[in-house]
Amino acid sequence: MACLGVSVAEGLATGIAIGKAMRTTPETAGEPQRQRKSLLLASVADMEAASTGNLAQLTVSAAKQAQFSESLADLDSDGCAELFEEWSRQLLVTSSAARLAGAQLFKHWTEIDPERAMKNLLALPFSDSRTGLEWSRVAAEGWAAAAANDPEALVKSLPQLQAFPNLSAKSLLISSLFRGIEAADFAETVRKASALRSALPAALTESVGIADDNAAIAAILERWFPPHYYDQGSAFDHPRDPLDIYRYATTEIDDPKLRWEAQKLAFEQLAQLDPQVAATTLDDVGAPESAMEKTSLLAKLTAEWGNRDLPSAAKWLLERNPEERSGVLTAMFDDWSLNLDPRQIADFVQWIPASETPPGFAAGAARFWAVDDPDAALDWFESRPESKDPDVAESLLNNLWFGDWDKTLQGIGRLGQFDGLPQEKFDEELNHWVMFLDPDDRQLHKLTTLRDTSNNPGLAASIDRALIKAQVWKDPEAARQALSNSSHLSEEQRSTLLTDIGRMSRFREAPDKTLEWASQLPPDNSASVIGSILPGHLRQTPAEGIPKAMDWLDGLPAEQLGEDYAANVAKSTARATIESTGDPQAAANWAATGAPEPLREAAVGETISHWAQIDPFAAAEWLSSLDPGTVGDEPIVQLVDQIAWDPEHAFAWGATLSSPETRGIKLAEIADRWALYAPDAARSAIEQADLPVETKATLIHSIFENGHE
């Protein structure tokens, strides 16, 4: 079903015409309501045919919104219910026009029949969607806009709200109620909020964190001036004077933290209207207690001002003290929400002398600038002396994104020309761009052309790796063929990609098919690739994976048993046995006697780590039944970590570790925590332990000479 707001736009013209006809034509009893319901419901029926263009027209047209409100005004409760039933099937409201229409419906419904409106509101699902506003939130806005300003509607709504068990829903409705207050200025809003809080049952306001007037003010502040870049305002928001809240906060709010929150909000909004006035106001009122808060605020002011009058903003910034200046420049290019226009950065950086730029400024500015103009931004960055520092170059790549796919191609090509660019980090980011932007065939062809025409072998190899990895998620077999055909990769890069393909293929094909492919690889690659496949197989289908993993481990040559992939498969086998059978002792018995001997310590350690979380006493009893040294120190380390809450037994087990270095580390950890609340017991345990004298002296000195005595 298409968007609610679109359907409203489709039906408005017809609706107003019918509305006028109804007022001038003789009507039989009940006919006006039926016609009005038909009129508004017709807009719902037109959803599938509605166009995005009409939605945009409704969103920007106050006249059309007024026409819709006029058609809605005469609808009775049954008509509201019928219209709501049709619209709420959509569940999500994904446009501002739809939001306004839905909220107006519920505001009108609450005004004429608050009990029925509340009953339908509470029947909606309350969740946390990131793809649009839920109907519950839109309905809450409409209900609150009526109930906050109509005591009778509020009183009739409250019994159902008080009895409703969902606390998050109550919180949404009560906070919406405070934000729905209509008043001429902020002072009047606060007075009404105080009266509203007094009128509400204390148990209800306290349950949602509004226990006093300061909390009520905080609830108002959340939406009093929603930032223009963050669509969280109410459907009924209207322009307000930021200085109104600033004046009230300065003269009337006693709580310092709340006063600063209110003033800060006023500054942020004033910066969007007139940043020069906001900067003067900030200087007049003085700095907040937190230097970090002031830096953040100054950065927002500078960004807003820079978008309007770059020379003035830069001049004002350069007049700040060096510490503030450095902090602002860093913050401006470390926070995407500041909204400095990427096109302005090219001019802005020219106003800031190189001697005034803090560490990280060049990378941050280039990262923002590259969104709009990758070539110019990266040319400028490479001209900076700090670009030769590998750490600075790597910081440039962090969160580097471009405006669209064509700009991404520009950026990739330009980055490939950098000297000393951190190759591993570049590969990581290139993988992100290719996978998350999900280019179509035409765009992939452009990337392939860039690879084939590049004079930089490193760039060609990076593009090849990114393309092949992205292809694994769609077609593992095609990715394997592409790897086989690649002429840009070194043997080491090819080997790493084989392992990546093996590990990632389980998401798109059956493990047996991937294992069959891996078994046909040259011996040098086959073992490592199978070792990357089996852990995923064990998680996905443990009943089939466990015997295969055990057989594979038994067949590994001795020289491969020391590789990390072998230990990883042994640990994964033990873990899968516990999780699939619920029998940790069976896993422990296999790990201690059935696994290849070089892998037993790792396998038993993994088993004890999981077993001790379930039943530490059984795990400790089983471990104590083994001959000392049978499975190494790792199982004991895992047990000690899991029973740290019992320092007496953890210390006793730690003292049995065979490695002096590991033993010293674990005993120091245990005793240090123990000494915080029982120093005498910790000291006694150290003194009585079967440890070398030097170890005891070191432990006592390190723990009891550091404040635990």
Side-chain angles (χ1 to χ4, degrees), residues 110-112 114-115 146-159:
T110 301
E111 289 169 346
I112 63 173
E115 294 98 335
N149 303 286
D150 182 348
E152 184 179 353
L154 178 62
V155 169
K156 290 182 177 180
S157 303
L158 279 179

Side-chain angles (χ1 to χ4, degrees), residues 74-336:
D74 296 329
L75 207 62
D76 65 9
S77 185
D78 288 341
C80 290
E82 191 173 353
L83 186 59
F84 168 69
E85 182 181 355
E86 290 289 336
W87 281 353
S88 63
R89 291 174 186 170
Q90 184 185 351
L91 294 182
L92 289 179
V93 179
T94 53
S95 80
S96 56
R99 178 182 183 178
L100 179 61
Q104 284 180 330
L105 168 64
F106 246 88
K107 181 176 185 291
H108 172 68
W109 199 359
T110 301
E111 289 169 346
I112 63 173
D113 192 349
E115 294 98 335
R116 190 173 182 184
M118 176 58 74
K119 181 179 179 181
N120 281 271
L121 194 163
L122 296 178
L124 289 166
F126 289 82
S127 61
D128 184 18
S129 169
R130 294 182 183 273
T131 57
L133 279 170
E134 303 89 336
W135 251 105
S136 55
R137 295 179 181 272
V138 172
E141 287 184 9
W143 168 79
N149 303 286
D150 182 348
E152 184 179 353
L154 178 62
V155 169
K156 290 182 177 180
S157 303
L158 279 179
Q160 293 181 68
L161 179 58
Q162 286 181 274
F164 197 59
N166 188 326
L167 183 58
S168 64
K170 286 182 178 179
S171 179
L172 168 66
L173 289 164
I174 296 300
S175 57
S176 298
L177 195 61
F178 281 91
R179 294 192 295 268
I181 294 171
E182 295 178 3
D185 56 27
F186 192 74
E188 184 183 352
T189 305
V190 172
R191 288 192 293 272
K192 287 189 173 183
S194 178
L196 179 61
R197 187 185 67 80
S198 299
L200 291 169
L204 191 59
T205 54
E206 290 172 4
S207 69
V208 297
I210 304 179
D212 54 31
D213 285 347
N214 278 347
I217 294 174
I220 300 168
L221 288 176
E222 287 181 12
R223 300 286 176 88
W224 182 258
F225 289 123
H228 63 74
Y229 53 81
Y230 192 47
D231 186 21
Q232 269 205 331
S234 166
F236 301 101
D237 278 345
H238 53 83
R240 295 178 171 120
D241 177 7
L243 288 177
D244 174 40
I245 188 174
Y246 168 72
R247 287 188 290 266
Y248 181 88
T250 303
T251 59
E252 301 294 334
I253 299 179
D254 294 328
D255 181 85
K257 183 177 180 181
L258 184 60
R259 181 171 61 247
W260 171 245
E261 287 299 317
Q263 290 174 331
K264 181 173 69 171
L265 182 62
F267 294 143
E268 291 176 1
Q269 294 301 312
L270 186 57
Q272 295 173 11
L273 300 175
D274 190 334
Q276 188 169 0
V277 172
T280 303
T281 304
L282 177 62
D283 287 338
D284 289 345
V285 77
E289 292 183 7
S290 165
M292 183 181 298
E293 284 186 336
K294 183 174 184 181
T295 295
S296 173
L297 204 55
L298 288 173
K300 291 175 182 177
L301 292 174
T302 307
E304 293 291 347
W305 198 348
N307 284 332
R308 293 162 173 77
D309 183 354
L310 202 61
S312 297
K315 181 177 182 294
W316 174 78
L317 179 61
L318 290 173
E319 291 172 353
R320 314 299 300 184
N321 67 59
E323 185 177 351
E324 284 184 356
R325 190 164 57 236
S326 176
V328 168
L329 287 171
T330 301
M332 282 180 65
F333 300 107
D334 199 33
D335 185 352
W336 285 95

Side-chain angles (χ1 to χ4, degrees), residues 9 68 113 118 145 428 476 511 605 669:
F68 171 73
D113 192 349
M118 176 58 74
E428 178 185 328
E669 289 177 359

Side-chain angles (χ1 to χ4, degrees), residues 696-707:
K696 292 182 180 182
T698 300
L699 286 172
I700 289 175
H701 176 77
S702 65
I703 295 168
F704 295 100
E705 297 296 324
N706 288 315

Side-chain angles (χ1 to χ4, degrees), residues 198-500:
S198 299
L200 291 169
L204 191 59
T205 54
E206 290 172 4
S207 69
V208 297
I210 304 179
D212 54 31
D213 285 347
N214 278 347
I217 294 174
I220 300 168
L221 288 176
E222 287 181 12
R223 300 286 176 88
W224 182 258
F225 289 123
H228 63 74
Y229 53 81
Y230 192 47
D231 186 21
Q232 269 205 331
S234 166
F236 301 101
D237 278 345
H238 53 83
R240 295 178 171 120
D241 177 7
L243 288 177
D244 174 40
I245 188 174
Y246 168 72
R247 287 188 290 266
Y248 181 88
T250 303
T251 59
E252 301 294 334
I253 299 179
D254 294 328
D255 181 85
K257 183 177 180 181
L258 184 60
R259 181 171 61 247
W260 171 245
E261 287 299 317
Q263 290 174 331
K264 181 173 69 171
L265 182 62
F267 294 143
E268 291 176 1
Q269 294 301 312
L270 186 57
Q272 295 173 11
L273 300 175
D274 190 334
Q276 188 169 0
V277 172
T280 303
T281 304
L282 177 62
D283 287 338
D284 289 345
V285 77
E289 292 183 7
S290 165
M292 183 181 298
E293 284 186 336
K294 183 174 184 181
T295 295
S296 173
L297 204 55
L298 288 173
K300 291 175 182 177
L301 292 174
T302 307
E304 293 291 347
W305 198 348
N307 284 332
R308 293 162 173 77
D309 183 354
L310 202 61
S312 297
K315 181 177 182 294
W316 174 78
L317 179 61
L318 290 173
E319 291 172 353
R320 314 299 300 184
N321 67 59
E323 185 177 351
E324 284 184 356
R325 190 164 57 236
S326 176
V328 168
L329 287 171
T330 301
M332 282 180 65
F333 300 107
D334 199 33
D335 185 352
W336 285 95
S337 70
L338 294 184
N339 277 356
L340 186 68
D341 189 329
R343 291 168 296 183
Q344 295 278 38
I345 297 174
D347 295 326
F348 185 82
V349 296
Q350 306 304 324
W351 284 91
I352 307 299
S355 59
E356 298 289 338
T357 58
F361 170 80
R367 191 164 56 238
F368 277 75
W369 187 357
V371 171
D372 188 68
D373 190 346
D375 286 337
L378 297 175
D379 284 346
W380 174 81
F381 174 76
E382 197 171 24
S383 72
R384 308 281 297 190
E386 58 265 45
S387 69
K388 307 300 185 278
D389 183 336
D391 291 337
V392 175
E394 182 167 338
S395 71
L396 167 71
L397 292 170
N398 285 324
N399 297 317
L400 179 62
W401 290 91
F402 306 100
D404 54 36
W405 180 251
D406 288 336
K407 288 185 172 62
T408 300
L409 287 175
Q410 288 180 32
I412 292 170
R414 185 63 187 83
L415 286 167
Q417 301 170 22
F418 271 38
D419 291 330
L421 189 74
Q423 193 65 43
E424 186 175 343
K425 182 64 178 175
F426 176 61
D427 286 355
E428 178 185 328
E429 295 304 318
L430 182 55
N431 286 333
H432 288 166
W433 297 328
V434 174
M435 283 196 291
F436 290 109
L437 293 176
D438 194 21
D440 58 29
D441 290 343
R442 180 187 63 82
Q443 294 168 333
L444 285 175
H445 177 71
K446 287 186 176 181
L447 184 59
T448 303
T449 302
L450 175 61
R451 176 199 65 189
D452 294 339
T453 57
S454 173
N455 295 322
N456 184 338
L459 175 61
S462 294
I463 293 174
D464 237 11
R465 288 197 295 273
L467 288 171
I468 291 169
K469 280 188 176 182
Q471 198 165 26
V472 177
W473 295 103
K474 300 176 181 179
D475 186 346
E477 194 167 343
R480 295 193 284 264
Q481 186 60 47
L483 176 59
S484 177
N485 296 336
S486 173
S487 60
H488 303 285
L489 302 172
S490 67
E491 285 306 313
E492 182 180 355
Q493 291 169 338
R494 192 178 301 275
S495 177
T496 301
L497 260 181
L498 282 170
T499 302
D500 290 338

Side-chain angles (χ1 to χ4, degrees), residues 17-101:
I18 294 176
K20 290 180 178 177
M22 288 192 299
R23 287 192 291 272
T24 57
T25 303
E27 302 167 340
T28 58
E31 188 63 23
Q33 281 297 318
R34 284 192 293 274
Q35 287 187 328
R36 285 184 172 85
K37 285 185 286 185
S38 298
L39 157 66
L40 291 167
L41 289 171
S43 65
V44 178
D46 289 340
M47 282 182 181
E48 296 299 335
S51 69
T52 304
N54 284 335
L55 169 62
Q57 291 170 18
L58 176 60
T59 304
V60 300
S61 171
K64 288 187 177 181
Q65 292 170 358
Q67 290 169 353
F68 171 73
S69 299
E70 182 182 356
S71 298
L72 184 67
D74 296 329
L75 207 62
D76 65 9
S77 185
D78 288 341
C80 290
E82 191 173 353
L83 186 59
F84 168 69
E85 182 181 355
E86 290 289 336
W87 281 353
S88 63
R89 291 174 186 170
Q90 184 185 351
L91 294 182
L92 289 179
V93 179
T94 53
S95 80
S96 56
R99 178 182 183 178
L100 179 61

